Structures are given as structure tokens and as C-alpha cells.
């Protein structure tokens, strides 16, 4: 087997893991994750009988294909030699050599891979199931504003191959796998899907978890506030944001530690405490990171 590793971003989610598995399998590379997988991803892998990839916490000396990310702060530690990038996020990437880069404005990296390797995916039920899971995860079952008609079309085709007759029910079951935060350590909840950003030279962290009952979050509000404040001061962040996204109510309770005026300006809201409810906000990539970055860039 090749010594090339296909790997997604830190705090791996379903799109990053499933995309790595499928791309690696088709190309004859090795799939890896930059950390442990979450319950949602575990559900998808078990559903289609696929083992979890190996965990590669330091990629020093390895040749990498990056999926579902391109920013340096989101890469696995030790990442130096990069062969290719497959992604659906905005580009913030510098590299000294020409490499293969494929980026499209769709709801998930899985959508891109399903098109790139249509024949291979249609011939493999497990690949189709994993990519379907990734699309449903990243688009929040097509509720996210990042969703495109192409995502829906590809998902329907993948569902036929994977033997999924009810896409919505499967998506809900997938989301429920990690939706409850009862009994989970606050640090695990915040970091289950957490990304670092460089906004005008300042370090900003944005985490997100999806729930089906926002009251679970409100019951632990003080814990979230304390953890974010501690994280900001101990890790050199200018701001830390945590999105508790209720996929049923279709909105986000946005917690933050940092300058409240930046939150007010970014989301055109009045903030009177350490968090604010943002109706209709489901996507970090499209609805949270861009307006926050804009505020930093405007100074």
C-alpha cells in the first residue's frame, strides 16, 4: 500500500472522515484521522461495515492529501509535504510547489468526491453510504444554507446505491447519534467540532455541536461560559466562540469569550450576556466564520 495518507482537519467530523476513507480507498492510499471520531461518524461507519481509520496525530515525514480543509491552523500537526487538496471551504493556503487542488462551493467534500469518482462509488455500496452520510451531516439534512441542489441530487443517487429508502429518516438517525450532551465533559462537547482561524493575525477558535434539545445546553450554561473563558486565557485566543445548534428549532445559541462588540457587529444583535440566540443560523462555514472574520478585517 502507498505511503500517502489522506486526512481531514483536526477535530474530525463525518465529512472529513468519510471523504478520507473513500478517496484513500479509490486511490490506493491510507486513510487517517487527526483525532478520535465522534459518535455520529461511528454510527455511519458501523451502518456500512467500515472500520475507523488509524489516528495520525503527527504527520511529520508523511505525504498528505488534505480533504475538507486547507487552512494551516486546521491541519494535523507535522503536516509539511502536501500532494493534493479536495475541499469545499474558502481558500487560505500557501505552498511552495504546484499541487492538485479541487475546490467547489457545495455543501460537503463528499459531494465533490461522488462526482469525481462516480463509477467507483456507484459500484461500491459502502462508499456510497459513507458519502451520503457525510453530505447529510454537513448540510444538516439539507437545512443548512450551504446546501446546493447538487448536494440533494448527488445524495439521492447515493441513497439508491447504499440501499437507503428514506433519506430524511437516515439523516435524523445519524444526527441523533451525537445529539445529546448529557453526561459528557464540557471540553469534549466544545471540541467535538472545533476549528482555529487566523483573522488578521489574531487567533480565533469556533466550535460547534448539534443538539435536538437546546434545553440540555441551557442547563449547563455556566459550565460553557467558564470553559470558554479559561480556554481563551490559557491558549492565547483573541476570541473563542461556541455554537450550540438546535437542528429541530433551526437556530444557534452562540456563546463567546472575547469582545462583545465584535459579536454585536458581526450578527447585528444586542448582546446582554455571554451568549445570544441566533435564529436560522446553522452553518459555521457560511453564517458564523465569515461575518466574524469581516469584523476583524475591518478593524
Amino acid at each position: 500500500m502507498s505511503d500517502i495518507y489522506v486526512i481531514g482537519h483536526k477535530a474530525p467530523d463525518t465529512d472529513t472522515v468519510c471523504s478520507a476513507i473513500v478517496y484513500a480507498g479509490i486511490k490506493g492510499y491510507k486513510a487517517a484521522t487527526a483525532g478520535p471520531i465522534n459518535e455520529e461518524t461511528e454510527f455511519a461507519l458501523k451502518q456500512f461495515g467500515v472500520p475507523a481509520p488509524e489516528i495520525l496525530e503527527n504527520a511529520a515525514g508523511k505525504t498528505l492529501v488534505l480533504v475538507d480543509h486547507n487552512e494551516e491552523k486546521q491541519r494535523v500537526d507535522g503536516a509539511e509535504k502536501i500532494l493534493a487538496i479536495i475541499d469545499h471551504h474558502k481558500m487560505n493556503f500557501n505552498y511552495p510547489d504546484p499541487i492538485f487542488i479541487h475546490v467547489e462551493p457545495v455543501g460537503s467534500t463528499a459531494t465533490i468526491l461522488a462526482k469525481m469518482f462516480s463509477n467507483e462509488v456507484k459500484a461500491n455500496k459502502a462508499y456510497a453510504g459513507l458519502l451520503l452520510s457525510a453530505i447529510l451531516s454537513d448540510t444538516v439534512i439539507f437545512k443548512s444554507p450551504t446546501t446546493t441542489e447538487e448536494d440533494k441530487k448527488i445524495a439521492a443517487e447515493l441513497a439508491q446505491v447504499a440501499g437507503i429508502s428514506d433519506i430524511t429518516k437516515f439523516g435524523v438517525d445519524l444526527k441523533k447519534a451525537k445529539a445529546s450532551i448529557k453526561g459528557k465533559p464540557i471540553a469534549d462537547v466544545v471540541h467535538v467540532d472545533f476549528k482555529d482561524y487566523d483573522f488578521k493575525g489574531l487567533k480565533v477558535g469556533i466550535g460547534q455541536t448539534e443538539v435536538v434539545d437546546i434545553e440540555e445546553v441551557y442547563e449547563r450554561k455556566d459550565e460553557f461560559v467558564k470553559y470558554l473563558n479559561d480556554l481563551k486565557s490559557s491558549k492565547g485566543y483573541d476570541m473563542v466562540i461556541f455554537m450550540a445548534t438546535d437542528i429541530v428549532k433551526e437556530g444557534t445559541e452562540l456563546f463567546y469569550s472575547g469582545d462583545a462588540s465584535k459579536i454585536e457587529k458581526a450578527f447585528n444583535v444586542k448582546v446582554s450576556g455571554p451568549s445570544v440566540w441566533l435564529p436560522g443560523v446553522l452553518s459555521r462555514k457560511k453564517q458564523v466564520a465569515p461575518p466574524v472574520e469581516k469584523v476583524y478585517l475591518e478593524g
Side-chain angles (χ1 to χ4, degrees):
M1 182 177 279
S2 170
D3 287 331
I4 299 170
Y5 285 79
V6 186
I7 192 166
H9 52 71
K10 293 180 177 179
D13 59 14
T14 300
D15 189 31
T16 213
V17 175
C18 292
S19 293
I21 291 171
V22 173
Y23 191 91
I26 291 172
K27 300 289 283 187
Y29 300 157
K30 296 178 181 178
T33 67
I37 63 174
N38 63 41
E39 297 97 325
E40 179 189 281
T41 308
E42 184 179 10
F43 176 91
L45 296 183
K46 286 184 176 179
Q47 181 77 16
F48 299 103
V50 178
E54 67 175 284
I55 296 176
L56 186 68
E57 293 184 337
N58 193 301
K62 305 288 194 302
T63 299
L64 304 178
V65 172
L66 306 182
V67 293
D68 198 33
H69 73 299
N70 64 83
E71 297 197 37
E72 183 177 1
K73 288 186 178 298
Q74 297 172 13
R75 291 178 218 155
V76 62
D77 293 343
E80 295 175 356
K81 185 170 178 55
I82 299 171
L83 182 68
I85 294 173
I86 314 294
D87 196 10
H88 68 124
H89 297 90
K90 74 177 183 68
M91 294 298 295
N92 184 13
F93 178 77
N94 287 296
Y95 195 67
D97 301 315
I99 64 170
F100 178 81
I101 297 176
H102 188 134
V103 178
E104 292 187 37
V106 291
S108 74
T109 303
T111 299
I112 300 170
L113 294 180
K115 294 192 300 177
M116 288 178 67
F117 302 107
S118 177
N119 291 336
E120 292 88 343
V121 171
K122 287 178 180 177
N124 191 307
K125 179 179 179 179
Y127 287 172
L130 293 184
L131 295 182
L132 172 64
S133 301
I135 293 172
L136 293 172
S137 174
D138 254 27
T139 65
V140 194
I141 321 174
F142 309 132
K143 292 180 180 180
S144 171
T146 62
T147 307
T148 67
E149 289 303 314
E150 198 160 29
D151 295 307
K152 295 177 182 179
K153 175 179 176 291
I154 294 293
E157 295 171 355
L158 293 172
Q160 284 191 320
V161 178
I164 300 298
S165 58
D166 190 331
I167 293 178
T168 300
K169 181 182 182 302
F170 176 69
V172 171
D173 290 342
L174 182 76
K175 286 296 183 185
K176 281 183 177 178
K178 74 176 181 72
S180 177
I181 67 169
K182 286 186 180 296
K184 294 181 180 178
I186 289 295
D188 290 354
V189 176
V190 171
H191 290 281
V192 70
D193 185 5
F194 191 93
K195 292 184 178 180
D196 286 340
Y197 297 86
D198 182 334
F199 292 160
K200 205 175 180 180
L202 296 173
K203 184 180 177 184
V204 176
I206 307 177
Q208 182 177 25
T209 197
E210 293 165 345
V211 298
V212 293
D213 182 5
I214 197 66
E215 292 303 320
E216 289 187 9
V217 174
Y218 293 149
E219 289 170 4
R220 305 180 69 180
K221 184 172 183 176
D222 291 345
E223 293 179 73
F224 282 114
V225 172
K226 181 181 185 303
Y227 182 79
L228 295 184
N229 287 336
D230 291 346
L231 182 63
K232 177 180 179 294
S233 61
S234 65
K235 299 296 183 180
Y237 287 98
D238 186 71
M239 179 175 286
V240 180
I241 293 171
F242 173 64
M243 301 169 61
T245 300
D246 190 316
I247 62 175
V248 176
K249 293 183 177 178
E250 297 189 28
T252 288
E253 187 70 26
L254 186 138
F255 293 84
Y256 71 95
S257 178
D259 185 350
S261 68
K262 284 186 169 65
I263 298 297
E264 292 183 333
K265 188 174 181 181
F267 302 105
N268 194 27
V269 294
K270 188 65 179 176
V271 175
S272 59
S275 70
V276 61
W277 174 255
L278 300 177
V281 172
L282 301 172
S283 170
R284 172 178 51 199
K285 184 182 82 168
K286 192 165 185 177
Q287 295 172 294
V288 173
V292 172
E293 181 179 26
K294 183 180 178 182
V295 169
Y296 273 87
L297 293 177
E298 290 175 349

